[in-house]
Amino acid sequence: MSDFFEKVSSQTDPFKKLIGMVPGFSGYVDRQNRRDADKLLRDTVALRFEELWKRTSNLQADLVSNGSIEYVDDMEKAAIQLRTFIDKISTAPRGYAGMFDAVKINEKELEALYQFDLAFFDLAEQIKRAIDTVEASLNDEEALPAAIRNLISLSRLAVETYNKRTEAITGSK
């Protein structure tokens, strides 16, 4: 995450730099940069998952073409979970609250958010491999159901992990 924060920090305009020199405002500017970095990171995660969702949707068409219509609904479950995750991560409030926001996020909570966000990259890689396995199993009636179940589980895990991220922000369960 520090790469994202450094990228946003290096792009600070002169006005923000000046405000950063005023006592009491530098912490606010840092928080704003962290919010921008958080949004950049989540947009990147959303883009990766969008690619996975498209692949999953394309696999549904492949299943129909191969005459494996009975698995289309199962693939739809995975696609719905991925779409739900993408929608949630794309529209989430910025991770670092501003001065007047209702939810204040301190460094400890922010670090937890970064850990969740980094976990999303790992999940994206796992889901990519699961989709690869489904593709490889298209002509294998015995392996295909297990491959699809694994994809559904991982897709569901993405949504569950996002929900835990939200709990880390709000402190609710």
Side-chain angles (χ1 to χ4, degrees):
M1 179 60 202
S2 63
D3 292 340
F4 287 102
F5 179 66
E6 289 169 12
K7 182 176 180 180
V8 171
S9 295
S10 69
Q11 295 175 357
T12 302
D13 63 37
F15 177 73
K16 284 187 179 179
K17 286 182 180 179
L18 179 63
I19 292 295
M21 294 179 191
V22 176
F25 280 99
S26 64
Y28 176 72
V29 172
D30 286 344
R31 282 191 296 274
Q32 185 60 40
N33 286 340
R34 290 193 184 278
R35 289 176 69 157
D36 293 343
D38 174 69
K39 178 64 174 154
L40 178 61
L41 183 135
R42 286 185 298 102
D43 287 347
T44 302
V45 169
L47 284 174
R48 290 220 179 144
F49 275 81
E50 187 75 34
E51 293 168 7
L52 298 171
W53 175 78
K54 286 177 184 173
R55 284 186 64 201
T56 302
S57 295
N58 290 338
L59 275 172
Q60 288 176 296
D62 293 343
L63 287 168
V64 171
S65 296
N66 287 350
S68 302
I69 297 173
E70 67 271 19
Y71 299 113
V72 173
D73 285 345
D74 292 332
M75 284 299 293
E76 182 65 13
K77 289 176 187 175
I80 288 171
Q81 291 294 318
L82 290 174
R83 182 83 258 157
T84 299
F85 173 77
I86 293 163
D87 292 345
K88 285 183 174 216
I89 199 84
S90 297
T91 61
R94 291 182 181 226
Y96 208 104
M99 284 202 297
F100 302 110
D101 290 350
V103 177
K104 296 291 183 191
I105 299 178
N106 298 315
E107 294 294 325
K108 180 181 172 188
E109 290 87 1
L110 185 63
E111 181 64 30
L113 291 181
Y114 291 165
Q115 293 303 320
F116 281 112
D117 291 342
L118 290 172
F120 294 138
F121 286 104
D122 182 51
L123 269 170
E125 186 58 35
Q126 289 179 51
I127 291 170
K128 178 189 173 297
R129 287 193 304 267
I131 292 170
D132 291 344
T133 302
V134 171
E135 284 177 336
S137 303
L138 283 176
N139 295 318
D140 185 346
E141 292 262 342
E142 291 185 25
L144 186 58
I148 293 173
R149 279 193 306 274
N150 183 47
L151 177 58
I152 292 168
S153 295
L154 289 170
S155 300
R156 189 176 298 130
L157 181 60
V159 174
E160 291 169 2
T161 303
Y162 174 82
N163 291 339
K164 289 178 184 175
R165 179 189 193 271
T166 302
E167 290 171 12
I169 294 172
T170 62
S172 65
K173 291 190 179 198

